[in-house]
Amino acid sequence: MARRTGRRPGNPDTREAILTAARAAFAERGFDAASIRAIATAAGVDPALVHHYFGTKEELFRATVAIPVDPAELVPRVLAGGRDEVGERLVRTFLAVWDSPVGTAAVALLRSAVSNQWTARLLREFLVTQVLRRVVEQLDLDPAEVPLRGGLVATQIAGLAMMRYVIRLEPVASAPPDTLAATIGPTIQRYLTGPLDTA
């Protein structure tokens, strides 16, 4: 009997092959430049099989980063309400996730990103394309300022995550979410909508 050639059929290893190819593609080219077709080719499968296992490109990306929540469900919470309170709602939403049982996986990812360059790239792409971009796109900001504003917000969120969940610096580690939202929120709000001194 002749051996069949062509793309690898679906089998228990297919899902992991797709994830491996996707991690490499997202880390090397970023979320926007990586395509389902290229990932499928690298994994040796048909693009339809990628969609079968993971659904959309966003869902595949979330699987590669092992993020336990869907930003598409969280971002509307941040944006619901007045524009001037987005910073505080962003902190509240962030803490609600990280303080919940699924936060354990997020902390593990953050720890890994500190010591692993590939994980750091994937986490950066996730924060920029799946979270921050979705928020700032709704705020009617100067497009030229969006990258800097998003980056500044990321410094605060990442710093809060490190101090509260990894280094566990007191009193930040045990502070009530309301306290942190009220104190850090205005700084994030300034980064989002306040004047920028770029001179």
Side-chain angles (χ1 to χ4, degrees):
M1 179 181 270
R3 184 178 178 183
R4 296 184 62 183
T5 59
R7 295 186 183 275
R8 179 188 303 144
N11 62 53
D13 297 328
T14 300
R15 190 176 192 279
E16 190 54 42
I18 294 169
L19 280 175
T20 299
R23 286 187 192 102
F26 289 132
E28 291 172 3
R29 296 191 286 278
F31 175 80
D32 293 329
S35 71
I36 292 290
R37 183 171 298 281
I39 290 168
T41 298
V45 301
D46 190 275
L49 204 52
V50 178
H51 290 294
H52 169 74
Y53 278 108
F54 297 99
T56 65
K57 181 178 171 181
E58 287 80 5
E59 290 169 319
L60 172 60
F61 184 46
R62 227 172 41 246
T64 66
V65 187
I67 294 291
V69 294
D70 183 355
E73 297 175 3
L74 300 178
V75 171
R77 293 187 213 170
V78 175
L79 297 172
R83 185 176 189 260
D84 294 337
E85 293 83 38
V86 170
E88 189 169 328
R89 287 195 302 272
L90 180 60
V91 176
R92 287 184 192 282
T93 303
F94 170 80
L95 292 173
V97 172
W98 284 62
D99 286 349
S100 75
V102 300
T104 304
V107 173
L109 179 64
L110 182 60
R111 288 181 184 275
S112 177
V114 172
S115 58
N116 184 292
Q117 185 179 16
W118 284 78
T119 306
R121 287 180 186 175
L122 289 171
L123 183 58
R124 180 183 65 228
E125 279 294 308
F126 176 80
L127 287 174
V128 171
T129 66
Q130 304 300 299
V131 180
L132 296 176
R133 180 189 293 172
R134 293 179 186 215
V135 172
V136 298
E137 281 180 347
Q138 301 299 316
L139 297 179
D140 193 28
L141 302 172
D142 179 348
E145 294 179 351
V146 165
L148 177 58
R149 289 184 184 278
L152 291 171
V153 171
T155 66
Q156 292 297 303
I157 294 296
L160 174 58
M162 284 296 296
M163 293 301 110
R164 185 171 174 87
Y165 303 104
V166 177
I167 296 175
R168 302 197 59 78
L169 176 70
E170 291 294 356
V172 173
S174 59
D178 286 346
T179 299
L180 294 175
T183 53
I184 298 173
T187 299
I188 290 180
Q189 188 68 43
R190 180 169 60 85
Y191 290 158
L192 285 171
T193 60
L196 291 178
D197 183 5
T198 57

